């Protein structure tokens, strides 16, 4: 089995381009061999292994006859024995037939003694051969050759053969289509585009988009917003005003999709445009121009669509069919659309849009235009993602955001990233009870409740096993064993199992990081406002989630795994790959052995609630929804609580009660737990300076190692600035703090009151800024000369 470009399993005999199947039958191969021998047998069995259908012809005449009957995708001609037939002559005979233009023809040539010069392939190419194969009667060698041809030349021929039908579809499509190069030079426009914009394609093809007149009705930064989005490989859709050849502006709904080529590079942009249906006058005008353009008004134009109560909904019954022979199909389609519009299922965002649409009806022009811009923003899919400046302005920020907040450019690759799990517990020295912890470690753990606790000293003292020792101490202080009704021995076995499942070879994502996040989680849970917002189940879930949140982390980002086509990326559909794996593996490890199953004694209902809370917190550490989580926390908790503080004129008690009601609702407790683990996960910039510097060095080294491996394997480089030879660590830390940390910790500090952390954050930021101003790229300033 093989994978298509969407990651779907397909057989070796199927060929897809996007969602389009190009070959429904198994690939057909014709062997032209005058005599049966070990070479022809090897190709026969190789075809059988690959699932290809195979025919054999013994003469040139029978070869041509068979080919004209079957139209084989691959022809293999024996060129070793010219006394039977001339292979070049046979190839020319086949190439003289029309069906052969999409056929790959392979010449089998004899092996030459090592002392003879390699003959030129030019005569074979001139005769019409696609490639040659030096005789080798190994079935595996023949199979590999066939598979390479299928994935190379044959697949290309399938695509070329499909081009005519694809462009025929584009030519007859009612939506305007514009295809540009990666440099925004127009490559193609379809007739619908010509009709809508008033241009002939000859006036457009080869021109840069910047050469065409622009409408002054768009907001000033819209083009920059679009370019910033599509340059990152993301689709953009929204409302845009375009200027027609006549000089009039037309409001369009536009969807621009980047087309990713080999190596993850953007090769083209495809823009699909249609008149925006919110503008009645524009649509009337467009229809009128269509009717008087000399074309068949019944088959070519849009009719004005009847609207229902929702402004963006419409009754499509009056939309004309482009072909006179398909009315029943069109009617079925439009009745389905009408049924969908009549459904009562609505998301909150839909209700908001409908309310704004209704408000527009009676609003002044300036207000209506402002609401149009609001609707444009609301209809995007990334409501919580801030818009960056251009990539050139701050490559460190762009690379960090691209590396941490995207799932990568999907592409097929033979490079599979293999996880090297080490689940053995035998290497661990097991402390008998908490009381038997070595004195030096016990003394360190006395400072565990202090934010300045040095996890790296614990790492050294425990020989890289800090999670077990710190976990025992923290879980004891929070009464985890009592809540779960499990013994300390079970908890200890579980902590050791989880710790052994982290990769000590990772410079950053190892069990020390897990212990560090566990420490921060416990610290936050002890803050008064956090403690009063959560119950004990929430606390236990948070501590467990912190301990397992990066278990079996490979030291590579989600984008890397998706680009490498890893088994995990395939398993989790390129979505929250690592976080899904951490959560799933944590439960698999926990329940597989009674000795370490900390959940074995709790009832089913409590387990389900606890499990759901743990999974939700682990998944919250995924960065693609970072701004969504922070924004929801600010708008659902920070702002309402601040409003109560500012406006309350009643007693202090009722003020506190109002805030408690906000904090203790199930939805908001969920937001608090997500925010808690997110802050714990990336709290390194808020640690004392020496710890901050050490963690910065560790994460940088992990990113350097990823970049090295991407270059070795020929994968897209997710974060190019993390090249160990050129990277500025201070710049990367400044970008990380600016983009991810400052706002989030401001919000968390406003809730949990964390002055010490904010002071460390300020001092650390100044440190990195000072290094950057010195043009120092390393972790520390150079020694004085």
């Amino acid at each position: 089995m093989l994978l298509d470009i969407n990651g779907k399993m397909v057989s070796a005999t199927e060929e897809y381009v996007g969602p389009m199947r190009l070959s429904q039958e198994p690939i057909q191969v014709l062997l032209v061999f005058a005599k049966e021998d070990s070479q022809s047998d090897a190709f026969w069995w190789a075809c059988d292994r690959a699932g290809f259908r195979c025919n054999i012809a013994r003469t040139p005449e029978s070869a041509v006859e068979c080919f004209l009957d079957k139209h084989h995708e691959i022809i293999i001609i024996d060129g070793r024995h010219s006394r039977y037939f001339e292979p070049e002559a046979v190839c020319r005979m086949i190439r003289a037939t029309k069906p052969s233009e999409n056929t790959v023809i392979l010449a089998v040539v004899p092996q030459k003694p090592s002392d003879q010069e390699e003959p030129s392939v030019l005569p074979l190419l001139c005769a019409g051969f696609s490639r040659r194969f030096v005789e080798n009667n190994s079935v595996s060698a023949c199979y590999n050759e066939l598979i390479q041809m299928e994935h190379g030349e044959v697949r290309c021929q399938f695509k070329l053969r499909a081009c005519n039908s694809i462009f025929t579809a584009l030519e007859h499509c009612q939506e305007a289509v514009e295809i540009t190069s990666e440099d925004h030079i127009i490559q193609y426009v379809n007739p619908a585009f010509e009709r809508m914009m008033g241009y002939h394609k000859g006036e457009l093809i080869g021109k840069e988009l910047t050469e065409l007149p622009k409408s002054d009705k768009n907001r000033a930064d819209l083009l920059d917003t679009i370019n910033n989005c599509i340059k990152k490989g993301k689709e953009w859709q929204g409302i845009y005003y375009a200027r027609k050849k006549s000089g009039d502006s037309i409001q369009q709904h536009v969807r621009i999709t980047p087309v990713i080529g080999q190596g993850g590079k953007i090769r083209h942009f495809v823009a699909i445009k249609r008149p925006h249906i919110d503008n009645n006058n524009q649509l009337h005008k467009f229809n009128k121009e269509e009717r008087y353009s000399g074309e068949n008004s019944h088959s070519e134009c849009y009719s004005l669509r009847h609207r229902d109560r929702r402004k963006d909904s419409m009754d499509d019954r009056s939309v004309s069919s482009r072909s006179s022979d398909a009315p029943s199909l069109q009617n079925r389609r439009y009745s389905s659309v009408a049924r969908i519009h009549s459904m009562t299922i609505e998301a909150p965002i839909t209700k908001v849009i409908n309310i704004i649409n209704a408000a527009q009806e009676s609003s002044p022009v300036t207000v209506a235009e402002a609401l149009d811009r609001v609707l444009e923003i609301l209809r995007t899919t990334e409501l919580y993602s801030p818009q960056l400046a251009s990539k050139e302005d701050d490559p460190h920020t762009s690379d960090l955001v691209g590396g941490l907040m995207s799932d990568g450019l999907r592409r097929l690759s033979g490079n599979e990233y293999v996880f090297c799990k080490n689940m053995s517990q035998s290497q661990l020295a097991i402390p008998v009870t908490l009381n038997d912890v070595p004195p030096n470690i016990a003394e360190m753990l006395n400072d565990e409740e202090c934010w300045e606790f040095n996890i790296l000293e614990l790492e050294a003292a425990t020989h890289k096993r800090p999670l077990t020792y710190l976990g025992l101490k923290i879980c004891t202080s929070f009464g985890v064993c009592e809540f779960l009704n499990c013994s300390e021995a079970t908890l200890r076995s579980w902590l050791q199992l989880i710790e052994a499942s982290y990769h000590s070879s990772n410079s950053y994502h190892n069990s020390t990081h897990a212990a560090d996040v566990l420490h921060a989680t416990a610290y936050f849970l002890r803050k008064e406002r956090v403690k009063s917002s959560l119950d004990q189940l929430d606390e236990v879930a948070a501590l467990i989630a912190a301990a397992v949140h990066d278990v079996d982390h490979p030291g590579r980002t989600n984008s890397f795994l998706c680009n490498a086509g890893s088994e995990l990326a395939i398993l989790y559909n390129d979505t929250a790959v690592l976080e899904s794996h951490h959560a799933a593996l944590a439960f698999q490890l926990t329940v597989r052995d009674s000795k370490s199953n900390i959940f074995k004694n709790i009832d089913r209902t409590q387990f389900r609630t606890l499990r759901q809370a743990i999974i939700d917190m682990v998944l919250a550490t995924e960065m693609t929804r970072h701004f969504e989580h922070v924004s929801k926390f600010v708008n659902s908790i920070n702002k309402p609580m601040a409003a109560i503080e500012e406006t309350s004129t009643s007693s202090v008690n009722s003020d506190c009660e109002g805030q408690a009601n906000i904090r203790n609702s199930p939805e908001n407790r969920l937001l608090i737990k997500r925010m808690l683990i997110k802050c714990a996960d990336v709290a390194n910039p808020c640690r004392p300076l020496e710890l901050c510097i050490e963690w910065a060095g560790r994460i940088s080294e992990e990113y350097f190692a990823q970049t090295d491996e991407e270059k070795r394997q020929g994968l897209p480089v997710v974060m190019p600035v993390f090249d160990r030879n050129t990277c500025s660590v201070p710049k990367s830390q400044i970008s990380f703090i600016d983009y991810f940390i400052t706002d989030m910790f401001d919000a968390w500090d406003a809730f949990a009151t964390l002055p010490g952390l904010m002071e460390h954050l300020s001092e650390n930021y100044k440190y990195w800024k000072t290094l950057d101003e010195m043009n120092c790229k390393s972790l520390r300033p150079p020694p004085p000369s």
Side-chain angles (χ1 to χ4, degrees), residues 360-637:
Q360 276 186 308
E361 300 283 358
S362 56
S363 298
V365 174
T366 53
V367 175
E369 288 178 351
L371 291 176
D372 262 336
R373 291 197 291 275
V374 171
L375 287 171
E376 179 187 327
I377 295 167
L378 290 178
R379 288 186 179 115
T380 65
T381 57
E382 297 184 348
L383 297 176
Y384 293 93
S385 295
Q387 293 162 351
L388 282 175
S390 66
K391 195 162 189 170
E392 292 74 16
D393 289 348
D394 189 355
H396 287 80
T397 302
S398 286
D399 280 5
L400 272 169
V401 174
L404 296 176
M405 296 190 65
S406 71
D407 287 322
L409 303 169
R410 299 175 190 177
R411 73 167 214 170
L412 283 178
S413 170
N415 302 310
E416 294 290 324
Y417 192 83
V418 180
F419 290 90
C420 46
K421 298 175 186 168
N422 178 9
M423 302 301 184
S424 171
Q425 297 183 54
S426 60
Q427 60 188 324
L428 301 176
I430 303 176
V432 179
T433 68
L434 191 59
N435 296 327
D436 292 331
V437 171
N440 63 323
I441 295 176
E443 187 176 348
M444 286 182 188
L445 291 173
N446 287 335
D447 296 329
E448 168 265 320
E449 293 190 14
C450 172
W451 179 253
E452 284 71 23
F453 176 73
N454 193 323
I455 195 71
L456 302 180
E457 289 181 359
L458 184 64
E459 175 191 61
T462 59
H463 305 291
K464 296 189 176 181
R465 287 181 285 117
L467 182 59
T468 299
Y469 289 94
L470 183 64
L472 279 170
K473 178 71 187 301
I474 288 176
C475 288
T476 298
S477 67
F478 278 87
V480 171
C481 288
E482 291 80 0
F483 179 83
L484 296 175
N485 192 24
C486 73
S487 66
E488 188 180 288
T490 302
L491 175 64
R492 183 180 65 243
S493 296
W494 178 80
L495 283 167
Q496 289 181 300
L497 175 62
I498 296 299
E499 182 149 46
S501 303
Y502 279 89
H503 298 194
S504 60
S505 56
N506 291 344
S507 59
Y508 183 90
H509 287 103
N510 49 42
S511 70
T512 305
H513 168 65
D516 186 57
V517 175
L518 176 62
H519 172 264
T521 298
Y523 182 84
F524 294 151
L525 287 172
R526 291 184 178 114
K527 304 306 287 184
E528 185 55 40
R529 191 175 268 176
V530 178
K531 191 172 182 62
S532 64
S533 304
L534 307 178
D535 59 24
Q536 192 175 11
L537 186 144
D538 294 321
E539 293 178 350
V540 171
L543 295 172
I544 293 172
V548 305
H549 83 284
D550 272 334
V551 66
D552 194 38
H553 196 294
R556 299 292 182 266
T557 64
N558 278 333
S559 296
F560 177 96
L561 300 183
C562 295
N563 288 337
S566 75
E567 291 180 9
L568 283 182
I570 294 167
L571 176 64
Y572 293 111
N573 300 314
D574 290 356
T575 305
V577 175
L578 283 172
E579 294 74 22
S580 299
H581 175 60
H582 302 322
L585 181 64
F587 283 95
Q588 289 168 1
L589 292 172
T590 302
V591 302
R592 75 179 185 183
D593 189 342
S594 178
K595 288 187 298 184
S596 53
N597 186 355
I598 56 176
F599 305 129
K600 61 186 176 183
N601 294 327
I602 61 175
D603 65 62
R604 182 183 298 273
T605 302
Q606 194 174 46
F607 172 70
R608 294 296 304 172
T609 306
L610 188 66
R611 170 175 157 78
Q612 196 56 52
I614 294 166
I615 292 171
D616 185 82
M617 291 183 75
V618 173
L619 293 182
T621 63
E622 191 230 353
M623 295 301 284
T624 60
R625 296 179 64 192
H626 170 83
F627 294 101
E628 177 183 347
H629 293 319
V630 174
S631 182
K632 284 181 177 178
F633 182 84
V634 170
N635 287 292
S636 299
I637 298 175

Side-chain angles (χ1 to χ4, degrees), residues 244-290:
K244 301 171 67 168
K245 185 178 180 181
S246 64
D248 296 334
S249 289
I250 179 171
Q251 191 181 23
Q252 301 170 335
H253 183 277
V254 180
R255 174 183 291 175
I256 305 175
T257 304
V259 180
I260 308 299
Q262 229 175 359
K265 181 177 172 59
I266 295 173
R267 301 296 179 184
H268 294 89
F269 296 104
V270 175
I272 300 173
K273 308 180 180 187
R274 64 175 184 271
H276 182 45
I277 59 174
D278 275 353
N279 191 327
N280 281 330
N281 294 332
Q282 193 71 63
L283 197 54
H284 272 301
K285 190 172 185 179
F286 179 67
N287 290 327
K288 186 176 180 182
E289 288 178 3
E290 284 284 321

Side-chain angles (χ1 to χ4, degrees), residues 206-375:
K207 283 192 174 183
E208 285 192 41
L209 288 178
T210 53
E211 297 179 48
L212 300 179
K214 301 288 184 296
S215 172
D216 55 6
K217 292 190 175 184
N218 296 306
R219 70 173 195 266
D221 63 341
L222 182 57
L223 280 177
D224 288 338
T225 299
I226 296 172
N227 282 327
N228 287 336
C229 180
I230 63 178
K231 279 182 180 178
K232 297 175 195 169
K234 296 180 181 179
E235 184 180 88
W236 181 88
Q237 62 176 323
I239 309 304
Y240 181 80
Y241 286 91
R243 187 179 291 279
K244 301 171 67 168
K245 185 178 180 181
S246 64
D248 296 334
S249 289
I250 179 171
Q251 191 181 23
Q252 301 170 335
H253 183 277
V254 180
R255 174 183 291 175
I256 305 175
T257 304
V259 180
I260 308 299
Q262 229 175 359
K265 181 177 172 59
I266 295 173
R267 301 296 179 184
H268 294 89
F269 296 104
V270 175
I272 300 173
K273 308 180 180 187
R274 64 175 184 271
H276 182 45
I277 59 174
D278 275 353
N279 191 327
N280 281 330
N281 294 332
Q282 193 71 63
L283 197 54
H284 272 301
K285 190 172 185 179
F286 179 67
N287 290 327
K288 186 176 180 182
E289 288 178 3
E290 284 284 321
R291 283 194 289 272
Y292 291 99
S293 64
E295 309 242 354
N296 184 325
S297 63
H298 176 73
S299 62
E300 294 293 332
C301 74
Y302 287 95
S303 300
L304 183 62
R305 301 175 178 189
H306 300 296
R307 298 169 181 272
D308 68 5
R309 283 175 299 134
R310 287 175 289 176
K311 191 168 184 181
D312 270 346
S313 302
M314 53 197 173
D315 182 346
D316 284 295
R317 287 171 294 179
S318 61
V319 180
S320 303
S321 168
R322 290 223 15 128
S323 61
S324 58
D325 59 351
S328 61
L329 180 64
Q330 293 282 34
N331 288 338
R332 283 202 304 275
R333 177 177 179 273
Y334 295 143
S335 64
S336 297
V337 171
R339 284 201 307 275
I340 290 169
H341 284 318
S342 68
M343 288 181 177
T344 57
I345 302 170
E346 282 189 317
I349 190 68
T350 311
K351 293 179 181 178
V352 171
I353 290 172
N354 290 338
I355 291 168
I356 295 173
N357 277 327
Q360 276 186 308
E361 300 283 358
S362 56
S363 298
V365 174
T366 53
V367 175
E369 288 178 351
L371 291 176
D372 262 336
R373 291 197 291 275
V374 171
L375 287 171

Side-chain angles (χ1 to χ4, degrees), residues 661-775:
N661 289 337
I662 292 171
R663 298 197 309 267
N664 296 333
S665 72
E667 298 83 1
N668 287 349
R669 280 167 53 207
L670 195 69
L671 298 181
I672 291 168
K673 286 183 288 184
R674 289 174 182 171
M675 192 72 163
L676 185 152
I677 197 166
K678 281 180 60 62
C679 289
D681 188 26
V682 293
N684 308 145
C686 299
R687 294 288 189 183
L689 180 60
E690 283 305 309
L691 292 176
C692 173
I693 293 171
E694 175 65 21
W695 285 119
R698 292 186 178 200
I699 192 63
S700 298
E701 177 53 40
E702 205 162 277
Y703 289 159
F704 293 157
Q706 174 170 311
T707 300
D708 292 343
E709 185 165 0
E710 286 165 337
K711 290 177 178 178
R712 280 198 307 273
Q713 294 193 12
L715 295 171
V717 177
V718 174
M719 296 182 281
V721 295
F722 282 98
D723 183 313
R724 66 176 68 250
N725 299 314
T726 58
C727 181
S728 167
V729 176
K731 281 188 186 298
S732 69
Q733 286 296 303
I734 291 167
S735 295
F736 183 64
I737 292 170
D738 280 339
Y739 199 77
F740 291 109
I741 299 299
T742 301
D743 288 345
M744 182 168 71
F745 271 90
D746 278 343
W748 188 232
D749 172 51
F751 178 79
T753 314
L754 305 161
L757 277 72
M758 303 310 289
E759 189 174 335
H760 285 309
L761 178 60
S762 176
E763 291 302 315
N764 295 340
Y765 188 77
K766 289 176 186 174
Y767 174 81
W768 297 121
K769 274 286 192 184
T770 301
L771 289 188
D772 185 43
E773 287 163 5
M774 295 167 57
N775 291 321

